[in-house]
Every structure is written in structure tokens, then in C-alpha cells.
């Protein structure tokens, strides 16, 4: 696990005993709520990971921090490094989405929490709470520069053999992304989540990145299943995917169904969407265009559903069921979600950003049995994912 401080000098990294873990276990602390995941692998040994402790003012800092600062001042073009164009895109997307959500709510405004990382990078967490429509909505962006220890670089080669660098030196990295989670008041309106991110290992001499990849996805979590909402959500993201590859929606929809599985409950968190990671099967510009298509699709995926559902009448029983389903949402995030779990284990992490994804309210009851007549269709879908759109 790679631990980096959110504030102050980058910490010293040493090998420490850790349980064996799987791909993509490490997160950059300053990224908070699953905005960006650094792919790390368990090739160190079955019992070791990498952890940072202590601090030192002489810790090496990526040269790209200063160079990118100059490029931002000059203004970005289509020839600017992809990391800067992705950073600019997610910040613009955050503004667009929060503006649209404020219109849907009609009352509350987002609170902006900005931060700067001493080692390079910054972030903006925007949260709306106790609105007229939304109980809680968060949209966060993060930009992180850092140095990846040799052991972690060696681990990455198992999935990215194109990495050509010595294993005896730390390697500069860059990561940026956007993450959004929305919990409405009305149980007829679904919870939604998305995140899109970019990661690269930098050439210390300023050349092309040693390796890079994109990741992300979106998923819908209804309390009350309206099939037309599920079809609409999937239709919009499928159209975005199909512009860039015939297999993307099919493959990433299945990956989403598999990823958001609450194994101890034997059910999915919601009715899916897409999920992908380590995406590098095309040129960086082609995949940047794909990620933009997905990100730009979000408002069209979700806002029409909210407009249909936000003012619907509901019963106390509906609200009770919503609280129980939110309990499942919390269980997944704390037990299974990679970004949340390892963010919480990371020294110096921004805990408020990590917990941004949690609903304000949730409920657990001992041995609760769902009303089969009222919620049987939803439970069937959560246990056996459905193809909402013809492939």
C-alpha cells in the first residue's frame, strides 16, 4: 500500500508486514473518496506492502509540478500534456454538474472545500446537504503529484509490462479524477455514483509518460425499481460507450455488476452501469475522448430521472425501506470499495472527502425480511443482474 501525506513533505517509504492483497489496492491519500486509484499489485511478497512513515524535507518531488504550473499559466491547447487536459476537464465537469444539481434541488447550494497539496496538486470537494430534493450530494475533484517507491513500480509491471525504468529509483506519478455520489430525499428517486480518473507514471527527464491508464464508471442504486429509469440510465451510457468501441458497454457493464457485489449479502449494491480500470487499449487521445463522453453523459443519465421522481408521493414504509437499502450502500463502501477502504488506512488522508459518499441517514434491522410483493422485483435484479439494453 502506498501512503502519501495530504499535507507537508512526502513521507519516507518502507516495507512493512501487510496481508496479501489484490490488484488496485493502493490509493493516493489526498484523492479522498475514490477519485483516483493507483494500481498496485501483490508481487512484493505474500506478506509485504509499502507504507510511508515519518517525514523528510529532502524527499524527492516530481519535476512536473513546476513545469505544469508554467504550462497552466500559458494556457492549455490540444497539444498540452494529457494530464493537464484531464485536470482541466474534470474541474469544468464539476462546475457543470453542481450547477445542474442546484437547479434540480431549487433551494440548497453546494459548499466548496478547496485544498492544496504541498508536494504538488490540489482539490475541490463540493457538498450539498439537507436540500429540498437532495439529502446529500457530493462532487469532488483531485490532482495529485508524488513519487512512487521502487517496490510499487516493480509491482505495476505485472499489469503494465511497458514500464521501462530501473527498479532502484522512485518514479514520479500523476493522478487526477472526479467522483460524485448523490442521495435524494425521495425514496422513489435513486442514489447515483460515478467517477472517472487518469493515472500516469512520468518520465523524470520530461519525456513521454512511462505508462498511463484511465479508469472509472457509473452506477444507479434505486430504492424502488422503475424499469424505465434503469433502461434510460443504461441507454444513455451505452450510447456514449458505443461511439468509441462496440465492446465497451458490454464488457464494462459486466465488470460493474461484478465489482458492486456485496458478497456477505449475496446481492449487488444497485442495478449497475459501467466500470473499467487500467484502460489503455487505444491512444491516449482516443481514450480521453471516451472518458469525456462518459462524463458528459452523466447529466443526461440522471437529471431526467430526478425530474420524474423528485416530487412523487411516498409512504412511511417507502422511507423505511430506503433507509435499509442505504444500510447496504454503507456496507459495500466500508467493506468492499477499494478507494474507501484504503483511503481510511492511509495516514494523512482527507477523511471528510473519503466519507463524502456516505448518506446522512441509514438503518439496520436484525433479520429484516423484504416485502416480496413491494420489493421482489428489485431484489431479483440485485441477485441476478439483468441486461437492460439489447447488446
Amino acid at each position: 500500500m502506498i501512503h502519501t501525506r495530504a499535507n507537508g513533505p512526502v513521507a519516507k517509504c518502507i516495507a512493512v508486514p501487510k496481508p496479501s492483497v489484490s490488484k488496485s489496492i493502493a490509493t493516493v491519500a489526498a484523492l479522498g473518496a475514490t477519485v483516483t486509484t493507483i494500481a498496485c499489485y501483490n508481487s512484493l511478497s505474500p506478506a509485504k506492502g509499502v507504507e510511508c512513515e515519518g517525514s523528510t524535507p529532502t524527499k524527492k518531488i516530481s519535476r512536473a509540478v513546476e513545469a505544469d504550473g508554467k504550462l497552466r499559466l500559458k494556457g492549455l491547447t490540444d497539444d498540452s500534456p494529457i494530464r493537464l487536459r484531464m485536470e482541466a476537464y474534470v474541474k469544468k465537469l464539476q462546475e457543470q454538474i453542481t450547477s445542474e444539481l442546484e437547479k434540480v434541488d431549487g433551494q440548497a447550494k453546494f459548499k466548496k472545500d478547496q485544498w492544496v497539496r504541498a508536494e504538488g496538486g490540489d482539490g475541490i470537494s463540493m457538498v450539498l446537504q439537507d436540500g429540498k430534493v437532495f439529502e446529500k450530494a457530493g462532487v469532488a475533484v483531485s490532482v495529485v503529484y508524488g513519487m512512487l517507491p521502487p517496490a510499487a513500480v516493480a509491482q505495476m509491471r505485472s499489469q503494465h509490462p511497458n514500464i521501462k525504468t530501473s527498479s532502484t529509483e522512485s518514479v514520479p506519478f500523476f493522478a487526477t479524477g472526479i467522483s460524485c455520489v448523490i442521495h435524494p430525499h425521495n425514496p422513489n428517486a435513486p442514489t447515483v455514483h460515478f467517477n472517472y480518473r487518469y493515472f500516469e507514471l512520468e518520465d523524470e527527464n520530461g519525456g513521454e509518460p512511462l505508462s498511463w491508464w484511465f479508469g472509472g464508471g457509473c452506477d444507479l442504486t434505486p430504492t424502488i425499481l422503475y424499469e424505465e429509469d434503469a433502461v434510460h440510465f443504461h441507454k444513455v451510457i451505452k450510447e456514449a460507450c458505443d461511439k468509441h468501441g462496440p465492446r465497451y458497454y458490454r464488457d464494462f457493464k459486466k465488470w460493474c455488476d461484478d465489482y458492486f457485489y456485496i458478497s456477505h449479502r449475496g446481492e449487488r449494491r444497485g442495478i449497475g452501469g459501467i466500470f473499467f480500470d487500467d484502460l489503455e487499449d487505444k491512444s491516449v487521445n482516443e481514450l480521453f475522448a471516451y472518458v469525456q463522453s462518459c462524463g458528459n453523459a452523466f447529466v443526461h443519465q440522471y437529471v431526467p430521472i430526478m425530474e420524474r421522481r423528485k416530487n412523487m408521493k411516498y409512504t412511511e414504509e417507502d422511507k423505511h425501506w430506503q433507509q435499509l437499502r442505504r444500510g447496504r450502500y454503507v456496507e459495500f463502501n466500508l467493506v468492499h470499495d477499494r478507494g474507501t477502504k484504503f483511503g481510511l488506512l492511509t495516514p494523512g488522508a482527507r477523511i471528510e472527502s473519503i466519507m463524502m459518499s456516505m448518506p446522512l441517514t441509514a438503518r439496520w434491522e436484525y433479520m429484516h425480511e423484504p416485502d416480496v410483493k413491494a420489493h421482489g422485483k428489485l431484489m431479483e435484479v440485485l441477485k441476478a443482474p439483468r441486461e437492460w439494453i439489447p447488446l
Side-chain angles (χ1 to χ4, degrees):
M1 179 166 28
I2 309 308
H3 288 172
T4 61
R5 300 290 185 188
N7 295 293
V10 179
K12 180 181 178 182
C13 296
I14 60 172
V16 296
K18 289 287 176 186
S20 179
V21 288
S22 61
K23 175 181 173 182
S24 298
I25 63 166
T27 58
V28 178
L31 288 178
T34 72
V35 174
T36 304
T37 301
I38 296 179
C40 242
Y41 310 91
N42 60 347
S43 58
L44 263 179
S45 76
K48 286 189 177 182
V50 178
E51 181 174 315
C52 297
E53 65 176 30
S55 62
T56 169
T58 61
K59 182 67 181 180
K60 200 173 182 180
I61 296 177
S62 168
R63 294 181 182 179
V65 175
E66 182 178 355
D68 285 355
K70 293 178 180 179
L71 289 174
R72 291 186 190 95
L73 290 175
K74 290 174 61 176
L76 302 184
T77 69
D78 290 341
D79 296 323
S80 297
I82 194 68
R83 60 180 177 270
L84 296 184
R85 287 186 279 151
M86 180 67 175
E87 172 193 341
Y89 169 68
V90 297
K91 289 181 177 179
K92 180 180 179 181
L93 183 62
Q94 182 188 43
E95 293 177 356
Q96 294 173 341
I97 289 174
T98 53
S99 176
E100 290 299 322
L101 293 177
E102 285 180 350
K103 293 176 185 176
V104 174
D105 191 88
Q107 177 176 293
K109 300 295 182 181
F110 277 88
K111 176 182 178 180
K112 180 182 288 190
D113 176 21
Q114 294 182 270
W115 50 272
V116 176
R117 192 166 181 269
E119 302 91 333
D122 56 28
I124 305 171
S125 296
M126 297 187 68
V127 178
L128 181 158
Q129 292 185 155
D130 290 319
K132 180 180 179 182
V133 171
F134 299 117
E135 180 178 289
K136 186 178 180 183
V139 188
V141 298
S142 294
V143 180
V144 170
Y145 295 83
M147 301 298 296
L148 207 60
V153 177
Q155 289 176 332
M156 285 186 177
R157 286 202 188 94
S158 64
Q159 291 293 325
H160 300 276
N162 60 323
I163 297 176
K164 308 293 184 184
T165 185
S166 168
S167 297
T168 61
E169 296 289 334
S170 295
V171 177
F173 74 84
F174 172 90
T176 189
I178 180 170
S179 180
C180 173
V181 181
I182 303 170
H183 298 287
H185 284 296
N186 194 318
N188 291 289
T191 285
V192 73
H193 156 263
F194 81 82
N195 79 82
Y196 296 104
R197 56 195 181 271
Y198 172 74
F199 174 86
E200 71 176 34
L201 287 179
E202 302 169 18
D203 181 351
E204 195 170 6
N205 297 317
E208 292 296 313
L210 301 175
S211 189
W212 56 265
W213 54 88
F214 289 91
C218 59
D219 62 287
L220 196 70
T221 305
T223 295
I224 299 171
L225 180 62
Y226 293 96
E227 294 194 9
E228 60 268 34
D229 293 350
V231 170
H232 171 81
F233 187 83
H234 279 265
K235 181 176 182 291
V236 174
I237 196 61
K238 182 179 185 298
E239 290 173 350
C241 289
D242 288 350
K243 294 176 184 177
H244 302 272
R247 70 172 182 85
Y248 279 177
Y249 173 77
R250 179 196 64 209
D251 292 353
F252 300 161
K253 192 267 186 188
K254 183 181 186 305
W255 200 346
C256 183
D257 290 335
D258 293 341
Y259 178 77
F260 290 103
Y261 181 62
I262 310 174
S263 58
H264 60 276
R265 296 287 189 180
E267 62 191 48
R268 274 75 187 169
R269 188 176 76 175
I271 55 94
I274 62 169
F275 178 90
F276 59 93
D277 205 359
D278 296 309
L279 189 62
E280 53 181 356
D281 64 333
K282 297 182 179 181
S283 74
V284 69
N285 284 316
E286 288 177 301
L287 292 179
F288 180 42
Y290 169 61
V291 167
Q292 289 178 89
S293 291
C294 291
N296 294 341
F298 174 73
V299 168
H300 305 291
Q301 283 180 279
Y302 190 61
V303 169
I305 294 173
M306 283 305 307
E307 294 294 354
R308 285 198 295 266
R309 307 300 174 197
K310 66 179 184 179
N311 294 321
M312 289 181 64
K313 294 181 179 180
Y314 57 89
T315 65
E316 289 186 13
E317 288 77 12
D318 293 333
K319 193 66 178 177
H320 179 261
W321 174 241
Q322 179 195 56
Q323 298 303 294
L324 292 168
R325 292 311 308 169
R326 284 187 177 169
R328 296 291 200 269
Y329 198 94
V330 171
E331 287 179 30
F332 176 85
N333 283 21
L334 293 180
V335 176
H336 296 293
D337 185 70
R338 286 180 252 179
T340 302
K341 285 197 302 180
F342 293 99
L344 292 173
L345 292 173
T346 302
R350 292 178 57 82
I351 299 301
E352 291 300 319
S353 295
I354 295 169
M355 301 302 286
M356 182 190 77
S357 65
M358 299 301 176
L360 284 184
T361 59
R363 184 182 182 92
W364 285 264
E365 289 185 7
Y366 184 71
M367 297 295 287
H368 177 269
E369 292 293 333
D371 182 336
V372 176
K373 184 177 180 180
H375 308 299
K377 287 186 178 181
L378 174 63
M379 296 309 300
E380 288 177 8
V381 171
L382 298 182
K383 293 179 181 298
R386 185 185 305 179
E387 297 298 338
W388 299 101
I389 304 294
L391 297 178

